[in-house]
């Protein structure tokens, strides 16, 4: 399937308000994960383009953008949100073709992007400092100020949502941004930047440089003239980004994925829980940092949950994104190899059910797979798979469930399914996770809800009002006036 007509050329970068070719004049090829066909060529930006983009961002900070009021920034963000909604069909189609994401899920991502713009647009002029009572003769107050130029390195799995939550919050606080989208999927990043320009975002406030991670990404992370870097992706790359940022002593937000558990107790409402147990693992073919890949079930209801989840898996089809099945392909041959390797490591486990690949298309499909009775220390129960694979683990007591839940190096999201209020409160405090859901999972995306990890899931918080504090710094002013 061909790309829709676009008002920008995908082969270009957006720098200082102009669409320009990468200085190398080189391009990279995007493929459609659903059938392996060529989709578009994108710019292969390198450190030279990152230099220009960072300089353009500083110019924006010194110019109109730097002088804008919070209310003006808020209005621009809300206009971007309106344009995102007006262009929802095109954005969803681009994301479906580029990421291999079923169309309905791509549409949900567009809704989330628009919502981020509304939320951060509305919040831009509601963030302020405070006065602090101090010694007699003093007046002390704080100012919330932007960092300056912020870098944003974004992965391929949820480009629109991740751009919305990090770039949206950074712009709201008056930072100028340099965005490096993923080389596997970057069309909606370019489309978003185009809409932002149409909405009146001043030149240089948002710059987009596509390119390879080791080239454009590394150049951005290690750039001496950025003041903050936000990264979402793998643990290994996160380490490199943090190391690079340390050389320039700038703050880093890292969002690195997880092995998020759902704890199902015998008193849970299983009818309510079942769709969440399955969907939270299978959405976007499991390529979700907050995917729930471990389902811990109290033994009294373990057989029932296993049987019901297995039935859901048996009905699942993986098909091209445009067919809008439960799941599409994985992003790349490399990702398929990684997931297939995990499946082979589970060859001795009890496979409770497997769905079907319902297409002959030459895409990167993996059949959704459910394993039962998985030992908690098995690699399939410990390591992030980033594919449509879930494991079921039985437990006998609340303490055992907690111990298993907290036994991985990650800590992003967890949920508790139980009618027992005291148990919910106890576990919400004790679970290692940045978000805990009680009798739900994910709260429908929750633009308003602070999000981020502990341990190898990363640090810092995006989403919600909290992100505005993470994309700004506090200055204390103490006046001695007698
Ligand atoms: P990755 O970390 O390599 O890529 C993420 C982003 O970082 C991309 O934009 C990439 O170009 C950039 N990047 C790569 N190398 C870089 C470097 N040296 N310096 C700066 N930026 C660099 O992730 P991946 O290879 O696309 O995926 C591999 C694994 O990462 C997946 O299997 C999954 O476990 C994890 N992942 C997690 C998330 C998440 O949302 N937490 C998203 C995507 C991938």
């Amino acid at each position: 399937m061909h790309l829709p007509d676009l008002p920008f050329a995908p082969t270009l970068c957006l720098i200082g308000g102009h669409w320009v070719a990468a200085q190398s004049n080189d391009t990279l090829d995007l493929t459609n994960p659903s059938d392996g066909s060529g989709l578009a060529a994108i710019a292969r930006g390198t450190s030279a383009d990152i230099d220009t983009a960072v300089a353009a961002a500083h110019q924006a900070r010194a110019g109109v953008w730097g002088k804008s009021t919070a209310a003006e920034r808020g209005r621009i963000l809300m206009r971007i949100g309106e344009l995102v909604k007006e262009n929802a069909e095109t954005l969803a189609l681009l994301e479906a073709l580029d990421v291999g994401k079923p169309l309905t899920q791509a549409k949900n991502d567009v809704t989330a992007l628009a919502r981020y713009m509304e939320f951060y647009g509305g919040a831009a002029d509601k963030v302020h400092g405070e006065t602090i009572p101090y010694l007699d003769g003093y007046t002390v107050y704080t100012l919330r100020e932007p960092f300056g130029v912020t870098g944003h390195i974004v992965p391929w799995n949820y480009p629109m949502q991740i751009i919305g939550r990090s770039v949206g919050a950074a712009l709201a606080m008056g930072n100028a941004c340099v965005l490096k989208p993923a080389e596997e999927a970057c069309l909606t990043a370019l489309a978003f930047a185009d809409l932002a320009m149409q909405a009146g975002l001043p030149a240089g406030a948002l710059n987009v440089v596509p390119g390879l991670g080791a080239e454009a990404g590394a150049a951005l992370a290690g750039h001496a003239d950025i003041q903050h870097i936000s990264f979402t992706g793998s643990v290994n790359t996160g380490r490199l980004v943090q190391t690079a940022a340390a050389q320039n002593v700038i703050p880093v937000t890292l969002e690195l994925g997880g092995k998020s558990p759902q704890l199902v107790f015998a008193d849970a409402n299983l009818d309510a829980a079942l769709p969440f147990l399955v969907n939270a693992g299978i959405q976007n073919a499991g390529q979700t940092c907050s995917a729930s890949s471990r389902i811990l079930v109290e033994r009294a209801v373990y057989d029932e949950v296993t049987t019901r989840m297995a039935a859901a898996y048996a009905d699942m089809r993986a098909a091209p994104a445009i067919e809008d099945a439960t799941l599409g392909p994985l992003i790349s041959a490399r990702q398929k190899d990684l997931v297939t390797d995990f499946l082979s490591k589970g060859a001795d486990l009890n496979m409770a059910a497997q769905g079907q690949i319902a297409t002959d298309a030459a895409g990167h499909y993996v059949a959704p797979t459910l394993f039962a009775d998985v030992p908690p220390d098995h690699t399939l129960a410990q390591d992030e798979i980033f594919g449509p694979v879930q494991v079921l683990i039985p437990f006998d007591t609340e303490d055992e469930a907690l111990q298993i839940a907290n036994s991985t190096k990650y800590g992003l999201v967890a949920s508790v399914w139980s009618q027992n209020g005291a148990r919910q409160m106890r576990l919400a405090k004790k679970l290692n996770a940045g978000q805990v859901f009680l009798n739900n999972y994910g709260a429908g995306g929750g633009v308003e809800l602070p999000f981020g990890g502990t341990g190898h899931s990363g640090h810092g918080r995006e989403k919600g009002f909290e992100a505005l504090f993470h994309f700004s710094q506090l200055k204390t002013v103490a006046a001695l006036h007698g």
Side-chain angles (χ1 to χ4, degrees), residues 153-157 162 180-184 211-214 217-218 221 231-235 237 240-241 255-257 288-289 334-335 338 384-386:
I153 300 177
V154 168
W156 41 263
N157 56 344
I162 296 169
K180 208 301 279 174
E183 51 270 47
E184 295 88 349
L212 296 174
F231 171 80
T232 305
S234 62
V235 175
T237 309
L240 295 176
V241 168
E255 207 277 89
L256 306 179
T288 305
C289 49
R334 173 173 164 260
Q335 195 64 24
L338 285 171
E384 187 180 48
I385 299 174
F386 232 62

Side-chain angles (χ1 to χ4, degrees), residues 283-300:
Q283 181 178 311
N284 203 29
Q287 303 167 113
T288 305
C289 49
S290 54
S292 174
S293 47
R294 292 186 296 156
I295 309 297
L296 282 44
V297 188
E298 190 167 2
R299 210 171 291 273

Side-chain angles (χ1 to χ4, degrees), residues 347-374:
D348 293 340
L349 294 173
N350 170 10
M351 187 194 286
Q354 195 163 47
Q356 300 137 36
I357 297 173
T359 176
D360 295 331
H364 315 299
Y365 297 91
V366 170
T369 307
L370 178 69
F371 289 100
D373 315 323
V374 177

Side-chain angles (χ1 to χ4, degrees), residues 300-318:
V301 290
Y302 181 75
D303 287 346
E304 181 182 352
V305 171
T306 304
T307 305
R308 293 177 70 175
M309 283 187 70
Y313 266 74
D315 274 352
M316 265 181 223
R317 307 165 48 237

